[in-house]
Amino acid sequence: MKIFNYLIPALLFFSCTSKNKNDSNGTGSTTSVTQVITRTDTLYVVRNIDITPANAYSDLFLDSSAVDQYISSNNLTEEEQKSVKSFYNYRNLQFAWFTTQGFTEQAKGFWNLQDKLGSEANKSLRSRMDTLLNMDTLSLSRFDSSIFKTELALTQAYLQFYKSNRDKTQFLNLSPEMAIPVKKQKTSVLADTIVLQRTDSSSGSATQYNLLKQKLQQYNALLKNHGWTIINFSARQIKKGTSSPAISIIKKRLQLTGDMITGDTTAVFNDSLVAVIKSYQLRNGMKPSGNITDTLIRSLNVPVEKRIQQIIINLSRAQWMPATTESNYISVNIPDYLLTVYENNAKAFDIPVAVGKEGTNTTMFTGELNQVVFSPYWNIPASIVQRDILPKMKGNPNYLKSRNMEQVGKNDSLPVIRQLPGKGNSLGKVKFLFPNRYDIYFHDTNAKDVFNKDKRAVSHGCIRLAEAEKLATYLLRNNNWTLEKVQGAMNAGKEQYVKVNPVMPVVITYYTAWVDETGQLHFRDDIYNNDDKLRQMMFETE
């Protein structure tokens, strides 16, 4: 998603003050001078001191000597040296890939693109990223020199990736600096800039980025027209068939966002309003009851400015998806709790899913599903053994046997434990592998009751399927696997690996705002508070 091609044009004009050469983060002494920040021959030759710790996207800054030392230690070519310095001049030495709270979303987005499209990164950086990306929490200090080195190594890898793979991304029209946000901006200013920015022809009009951008234009027009008024009344007062001034207010509100096409503004709760409410509820993740509820009123009352921020945040996520996707693939959108199978770019079917609970979040990434495992063992992650199983083993010597588990070794002092196939196995009767550094996969579950809930962030990070048998039968349909054969393998009680041919691309996303295949804009709850974190980084408080 090319969200930040609108931040600053190729020629940047600022009224700035030149800083002391040794000032690393905009806090040193200054001499009042009017400067022009100019990109010459794809390079920013003057530091952008319009960025300060108060308005910067990241709260971490490099010292200029750290950049010089990295360049010297890693024998960068003259072109690479200029590119790295340009990258950080544009940011006023602000980090691009980390904050004190860990990775930025752009870091994870870039690394996923690197995995999918890029050349092999150097082994040291890949090992470092594998370690950091698998940490449950990552809090950083501005004094951690190892993070300085990782930040700069990521930038070097990114600039190399950009040079080789720019045409395969959704930031084709951007310089490498502009694809990553640099500072907080007013919502209205950022929205205006995105709307005016020309669409990337490389990725076509139907990409999620371009579809969201069209909706942003609609909501931006509403913002300029002062949005909508707050609905102040209790939903319990309004039933179908009744008349109330509140009904007229709701109808006018639904017309603003295009949910209600007709010009009906009567005060009657009629059948047409029921149908419109059901549609609105579906696209906002509610049960489509057609009733006016407190949940519906709260959703209608979300300010247009906040909806615009939500769209922009998700534009930023979409920017880091490849410009083109395969025609056959599986998509899981975490906040929607739904897996969708696409065939020839058209939806084939959906399967409800349960995802990781907060603290063991399911991660955004892409992969390739290449194996189905029937009657699987569950090789229990060390974190679960340490946190959940060891205390129970100490209190009950027969705990493992009672749960159909066995110890198969030791990793240092921690036992290596697995659960045998069969009844009670936490993975159910089948799992689906798409190798990734996060050890995330799809699997069946015996706890089907979870799918009766609207909110299904309950797992340790893997993705539970409501209809695993359906997915297995679909994936193996061209491999001489009938439904009966799939059912037999699922109930055999003996682990069996089956290759999927051809492999099936998998895309795991975190869209709290997206446009579906019918052109409808959907909103969902920010279940991991990712939007809230980005909102604080991207937008000025107005």
Side-chain angles (χ1 to χ4, degrees):
M1 279 177 205
K2 46 177 173 246
I3 186 158
F4 290 101
N5 33 350
Y6 31 81
L7 283 179
I8 304 174
L11 196 61
L12 304 173
F13 296 90
F14 290 107
S15 262
C16 302
T17 51
S18 66
K19 300 221 176 258
N20 183 297
K21 181 179 179 181
N22 295 321
D23 178 27
S24 64
N25 59 12
T27 58
S29 60
T30 64
T31 304
S32 181
V33 178
T34 300
Q35 293 188 341
V36 177
I37 308 263
T38 308
R39 199 168 203 272
T40 303
D41 190 24
T42 73
L43 297 172
Y44 290 97
V45 295
V46 180
R47 274 174 52 186
N48 181 7
I49 53 179
D50 185 58
I51 296 169
T52 69
N55 67 15
Y57 179 72
S58 173
D59 59 355
L60 288 173
F61 283 78
L62 290 160
D63 188 283
S64 58
S65 63
V67 178
D68 293 338
Q69 185 176 354
Y70 179 86
I71 288 172
S72 175
S73 300
N74 289 273
N75 299 315
L76 271 62
T77 66
E78 184 176 353
E79 180 184 359
E80 288 174 329
Q81 291 180 38
K82 289 180 179 178
S83 295
V84 170
K85 288 184 176 180
S86 170
F87 185 83
Y88 286 106
N89 279 345
Y90 183 75
R91 307 184 64 78
N92 198 18
L93 292 173
Q94 172 196 180
F95 275 52
W97 313 112
F98 295 96
T99 72
T100 53
Q101 301 304 307
F103 284 109
T104 62
E105 283 203 6
Q106 289 73 28
K108 294 178 180 179
F110 159 57
W111 203 244
N112 186 57
L113 277 178
Q114 166 75 29
D115 281 343
K116 187 169 181 63
L117 302 176
S119 57
E120 185 72 17
N122 73 72
K123 291 182 179 179
S124 175
L125 177 59
R126 184 163 293 279
S127 175
R128 175 72 166 153
M129 288 295 289
D130 285 345
T131 298
L132 294 176
L133 285 167
N134 274 292
M135 294 178 67
D136 291 337
T137 59
L138 181 60
S139 296
L140 305 177
S141 165
R142 62 186 74 248
F143 305 109
D144 186 346
S145 60
S146 66
I147 291 298
F148 294 176
K149 294 175 183 176
T150 306
E151 162 76 17
L152 288 160
L154 272 172
T155 296
Q156 184 182 0
Y158 166 68
L159 293 171
Q160 292 169 347
F161 170 89
Y162 175 92
K163 185 176 181 180
S164 301
N165 298 281
R166 180 180 183 179
D167 60 340
K168 301 173 187 175
T169 71
Q170 295 199 67
F171 39 89
L172 174 64
N173 291 326
L174 303 179
S175 68
E177 296 89 350
M178 289 182 180
I180 304 165
V182 294
K183 68 174 184 176
K184 300 174 178 65
Q185 295 200 68
K186 290 183 177 180
T187 304
S188 56
V189 171
L190 193 48
D192 281 344
T193 314
I194 298 170
V195 168
L196 292 173
Q197 179 67 34
R198 75 182 179 90
T199 297
D200 226 347
S201 59
S202 67
S203 53
S205 61
T207 63
Q208 191 56 230
Y209 179 88
N210 291 329
L211 292 171
L212 271 174
K213 182 179 170 183
Q214 293 169 19
K215 297 298 182 183
L216 176 62
Q217 186 170 4
Q218 175 190 348
Y219 275 69
N220 194 41
L222 288 172
L223 179 63
K224 291 180 182 301
N225 201 30
H226 309 295
W228 45 73
T229 57
I230 298 297
I231 301 170
N232 288 310
F233 52 80
S234 171
R236 291 188 294 274
Q237 300 169 358
I238 309 170
K239 306 296 180 186
K240 183 185 173 185
T242 62
S243 294
S244 167
I247 298 297
S248 179
I249 295 172
I250 290 175
K251 287 180 178 179
K252 291 176 182 177
R253 164 65 181 83
L254 290 166
Q255 287 167 8
L256 284 173
T257 47
D259 291 280
M260 194 166 192
I261 306 301
T262 68
D264 175 16
T265 58
T266 64
V268 180
F269 193 169
N270 49 23
D271 287 337
S272 62
L273 181 57
V274 171
V276 168
I277 288 174
K278 284 183 177 180
S279 175
Y280 180 91
Q281 288 169 326
L282 277 172
R283 73 178 189 86
N284 284 272
M286 308 173 207
K287 287 184 178 179
S289 66
N291 298 324
I292 296 175
T293 64
D294 289 336
T295 301
L296 174 70
I297 298 299
R298 282 195 297 272
S299 177
L300 291 170
N301 280 339
V302 174
V304 66
E305 182 182 16
K306 189 168 183 180
R307 288 304 192 199
I308 287 174
Q309 291 176 350
Q310 193 171 355
I311 293 170
I312 290 174
I313 285 167
N314 285 277
L315 276 166
S316 181
R317 291 182 181 128
Q319 179 183 352
W320 292 92
M321 299 300 292
T324 58
T325 60
E326 294 82 357
S327 59
N328 300 327
Y329 64 99
I330 293 172
S331 174
V332 175
N333 187 24
I334 297 165
D336 196 28
Y337 307 110
L338 197 68
L339 177 151
T340 303
V341 174
Y342 289 90
E343 191 172 305
N344 298 320
N345 286 318
K347 183 189 291 189
F349 58 88
D350 293 323
I351 295 177
V353 302
V355 299
K357 59 189 175 184
E358 190 168 5
T360 55
N361 301 6
T362 302
T363 303
M364 297 171 279
F365 67 97
T366 59
E368 292 186 335
L369 198 161
N370 60 9
Q371 290 188 94
V372 178
V373 185
F374 294 107
S375 299
Y377 285 94
W378 179 33
N379 298 302
I380 303 173
S383 59
I384 297 177
V385 172
Q386 179 76 52
R387 183 179 63 246
D388 299 333
I389 294 178
L390 272 183
K392 294 172 183 175
M393 287 174 62
K394 292 176 181 177
N396 179 4
N398 294 317
Y399 176 78
L400 293 184
K401 186 175 181 180
S402 69
R403 296 303 179 98
N404 202 28
M405 296 176 181
E406 63 181 6
Q407 181 175 336
V408 293
K410 273 198 170 186
N411 185 1
D412 294 327
S413 60
L414 192 67
V416 177
I417 296 171
R418 67 180 183 179
Q419 189 174 40
L420 281 64
K423 186 177 180 180
N425 188 288
S426 294
L427 303 185
K429 298 178 179 180
V430 60
K431 70 177 179 179
F432 305 83
L433 301 181
F434 39 101
N436 58 85
R437 66 172 51 82
Y438 309 104
D439 198 25
I440 289 174
Y441 46 85
F442 304 146
H443 66 86
D444 184 25
T445 178
N446 296 306
K448 301 292 187 183
D449 288 349
V450 69
F451 299 108
N452 296 326
K453 301 176 181 178
D454 293 334
K455 311 300 182 185
R456 298 192 294 273
V458 296
S459 78
H460 288 95
C462 288
I463 297 170
R464 305 178 190 177
L465 308 182
E467 301 173 275
E469 179 184 289
K470 182 176 183 177
L471 183 61
T473 304
Y474 175 81
L475 291 171
L476 300 177
R477 68 195 185 285
N478 297 324
N479 298 65
N480 298 317
W481 278 78
T482 63
L483 173 61
E484 292 74 21
K485 189 174 181 180
V486 167
Q487 290 172 335
M490 288 177 66
N491 291 286
K494 181 179 180 181
E495 190 172 67
Q496 180 181 3
Y497 283 73
V498 182
K499 289 185 178 179
V500 175
N501 188 20
V503 299
M504 191 70 160
V506 174
V507 181
I508 312 293
T509 62
Y510 189 91
Y511 290 139
T512 61
W514 78 93
V515 181
D516 69 16
E517 63 279 0
T518 69
Q520 290 292 307
L521 175 62
H522 291 249
F523 293 110
R524 291 295 184 272
D525 290 341
D526 179 22
I527 62 175
Y528 295 156
N529 295 316
N530 290 345
D531 284 12
D532 280 346
K533 294 171 188 173
L534 277 174
R535 187 172 284 109
Q536 294 173 35
M537 295 167 67
M538 290 175 63
F539 300 102
E540 289 183 4
T541 303
E542 297 187 42

